[in-house]
Amino acid sequence: MRGKAMTNKTSALIAKGKGSSLWWGDILVTFKVTSKDTGGAFSVMEDIVPPYYSTPLHVHSLEDERVYIAAGDFKFQVGEEIFHATTGDYVNMPRGLYHNFENTGDTKGILLVTFSPSGIENMFDEMGRPVTDPNTPPPPYTPEEMKNIVGIASRYGVTIKPPTPRAS
């Protein structure tokens, strides 16, 4: 059923390069499966993460997050645990635990991220920016946009931990 919406009782092929894309920071996010495809059971997105890019430490209260590393080398923090994961590894991040990841390699990394239940993709839609050129990310978020992102995240049950001030 190439290109057709899927339900919990049908199969579908979402071909390479297909799906709805946006920029979330410098990460190119492509939604492969959304809530409307699964009746809210789960959603899946592909993240293309630039070298040395790190997400903020954050926690989900409504969904579990699972990551399959399709390519690259990453450092993950899940709760108090910090570990390295590489191509072929799988990371489980249960709701309620602060977590983040960083691409520690000098090439783009590719993650396949599953959320269950789904719905978090709506948060990314609100925060994201349109993709005009997949090889050129948009400029960094402004401080005002960052404040908006924290508010948007909170509406979806996600708390972003503020960065720790550096010692002077």
Side-chain angles (χ1 to χ4, degrees), residues 49-135:
V49 184
Y52 309 109
Y53 188 86
S54 176
T55 60
L57 195 60
H58 62 283
V59 62
H60 300 260
S61 64
L62 303 175
E63 59 279 314
D64 299 314
E65 183 174 357
R66 296 166 184 95
V67 177
Y68 175 78
I69 294 92
D73 295 300
F74 289 84
K75 178 175 79 172
F76 282 82
Q77 178 175 346
V78 181
E80 298 298 317
E81 188 176 3
I82 296 174
F83 52 90
H84 292 276
T86 191
T87 303
D89 288 343
Y90 181 84
V91 179
N92 186 48
M93 297 178 283
R95 71 189 83 183
L97 288 179
Y98 272 96
H99 61 277
N100 76 332
F101 63 80
E102 176 184 0
N103 180 350
T104 58
D106 56 6
T107 60
K108 291 179 181 176
I110 302 173
L111 304 176
L112 196 60
V113 183
T114 302
F115 293 100
S116 60
S118 60
I120 193 87
E121 64 272 20
N122 298 317
M123 179 191 78
F124 288 98
D125 280 338
E126 282 191 53
M127 291 179 179
R129 295 177 169 174
V131 176
T132 54
D133 176 359
N135 296 307

Side-chain angles (χ1 to χ4, degrees), residues 124-165:
F124 288 98
D125 280 338
E126 282 191 53
M127 291 179 179
R129 295 177 169 174
V131 176
T132 54
D133 176 359
N135 296 307
T136 307
Y141 290 117
T142 66
E144 186 62 32
E145 287 173 316
M146 286 306 298
K147 286 181 191 171
N148 290 338
I149 284 173
V150 170
I152 293 167
S154 138
R155 289 199 322 266
Y156 288 91
V158 176
T159 302
I160 299 173
K161 188 172 185 177
T164 304

Side-chain angles (χ1 to χ4, degrees), residues 6-21:
M6 74 178 185
T7 68
N8 287 335
K9 296 186 182 199
T10 61
S11 62
L13 169 66
I14 298 90
K16 181 178 181 179
K18 298 297 181 187
S20 170
S21 295

